[in-house]
Each structure stands twice: as structure tokens, then as C-alpha cells.
Amino acid sequence: MVSAERLLAFAAMSFLLIVIPGPSVLFVIGRALAQGRRAALTTVLGNTLGAFALIVAVALGVGTVVERSVLVFTALKLTGAAYLVYLGVKAWRQRGSLQASFTADKGAQSGLRTLGEGFAVGVANPKTLVFFAAVLPQFVDRGQGHVVVQMLLLGLVFSLIAVASDSLWGLVAATGRDWFARSPRRLSLVGGVGGLTMIGLGVTVAATGRDD
């Protein structure tokens, strides 16, 4: 199974990715500001289920291909790193235009619909897909076997961190709805820091290799 060292290292990298205000986080915060705490938490649950669906897909298919081919692994890793840097640069450049995303109000709707929309955002999040396909296989100990089980375990760790972090974002946003919405400068700061962090994560992914 996965060693404690690999598990902690993966948890640390997952945390860095999760705390960055990406598409899912922005969606959670926007829903919190528009509809409140309950909608935010329902969206978090949907996002997490969508992300775990990606984990299962990678573990059962894409992950196996990546795990067996150094060429595919390297190409996917570099592509993923480049995309993370691109997302970081984009977040930095658009840090002043987050107000519209945060204050959009689509009105109240059912919890099931909110859950479904959260799932759609989570399963279609390119940042998460790139991370699972390019980074997750690096933390699997192939010598221990049970590669799929190891990936699912790592994915569960990612999901637990995501639930905690995204819920915190949503609760804070729901509590301080007016405070966030009144200050474009605060939103700009969040976007700028997130962009720089994402760029750093992309560089880290590109520099990380594997023994074979």
C-alpha cells in the first residue's frame, strides 16, 4: 500500500492545489454569496463527487496507461505543468475581474439541482483532471502492487482535503457576503495570490520526476 511518506507528500501537494481559488472554488464562493451557506455546502458536495469521478476514471483507465509508459507520463506531466502555469497566468491577469463571478445571483433553486451543478463543475474542472492524470501516478508505489487501490486511496485523501477547504471557503464567503462583494481590491488580491501559487505548482510538477 501507499507509504506514510508518499501519503503525506501527496496530501501536501493536494492542499496546495486545493486552496488555490480555481473554477470549483470560485463556483462555491459565487453560490455562497448569491444564495448562502446551504447552497455553498451543497455545491461543495457536488464538486467533490465530480472530482472523485475523475479519480475513479484515472485509476481504472488513464492512470494505468500513464503508469506503464514513461513517454506518456512525461508528455502528460509537461502538458499538465504547462496548463497549470497557463491557468496561473490567466488568474493573475484576470484578478481584477472576479467581482462579476462572485456577485452573480441566479436565484434560489433546489438542493438536488445545486448538487448536480456542483458535480458538473467538479467533473469538468481541467485543473483537477490534469493533477490526477499527471501527478497522482507519481505517488503510487508500483512495487507494492494494487495500483488502482492506491490511486483510490490517494484520491480519497484529496477529496477529504477538498471538502474541508472548499467548505471553509464557502462558509467564510456566506458569512461575509457583503464584505467580499463591496471590495474589488480584496477579490483582486485573492485572484493574484492564487495565480502566483498555481504558477509555482506548475513549475513544481514539471520538475518532479520518477525513478524509472
Side-chain angles (χ1 to χ4, degrees):
M1 294 301 291
V2 184
S3 67
E5 292 78 7
R6 288 174 183 259
L7 202 60
L8 289 174
F10 179 78
M13 184 166 282
S14 297
F15 178 78
L16 288 177
L17 181 77
I18 290 168
V19 296
I20 298 169
S24 293
V25 172
L26 289 179
F27 189 65
V28 169
I29 294 176
R31 189 57 58 84
L33 293 173
Q35 298 182 27
R37 183 177 291 105
R38 181 176 179 180
L41 294 179
T42 304
T43 300
V44 169
L45 178 59
N47 276 338
T48 304
L49 291 175
F52 198 78
L54 290 179
I55 294 168
V56 173
V58 169
L60 296 180
V62 178
T64 301
V65 175
V66 174
E67 184 267 331
R68 291 179 178 176
S69 173
V70 176
L71 179 61
V72 172
F73 169 82
T74 302
L76 186 57
K77 181 186 70 170
L78 294 179
T79 300
Y83 191 73
L84 286 171
V85 171
Y86 163 76
L87 289 177
V89 172
K90 184 177 180 180
W92 171 262
R93 295 182 63 183
Q94 297 181 350
R95 64 190 184 281
S97 61
L98 294 179
Q99 185 82 7
S101 298
F102 280 27
T103 58
D105 188 351
K106 297 181 181 179
Q109 56 188 31
S110 70
L112 186 61
R113 180 177 176 183
T114 301
L115 181 71
E117 290 182 353
F119 179 89
V121 171
V123 79
N125 188 344
K127 183 182 72 171
T128 306
L129 177 58
V130 167
F131 180 78
F132 290 153
V135 178
L136 190 150
Q138 298 184 57
F139 293 90
V140 172
D141 188 349
R142 293 178 292 280
Q144 297 295 325
H146 305 291
V147 172
V148 172
V149 176
Q150 290 188 58
M151 287 188 176
L152 292 177
L153 176 60
L154 292 169
L156 180 60
V157 171
F158 180 96
S159 298
L160 292 175
I161 297 173
V163 167
S165 177
D166 291 359
S167 295
L168 181 60
W169 274 107
L171 291 174
V172 170
T175 301
R177 295 168 74 181
D178 294 337
W179 188 83
F180 272 103
R182 285 199 309 264
S183 177
R185 179 176 296 180
R186 295 181 188 123
L187 300 183
S188 177
L189 179 62
V190 169
V193 172
L196 291 176
T197 306
M198 200 179 303
I199 292 172
L201 182 61
V203 173
T204 300
V205 169
T208 302
R210 65 190 239 182
D211 295 338
D212 57 353

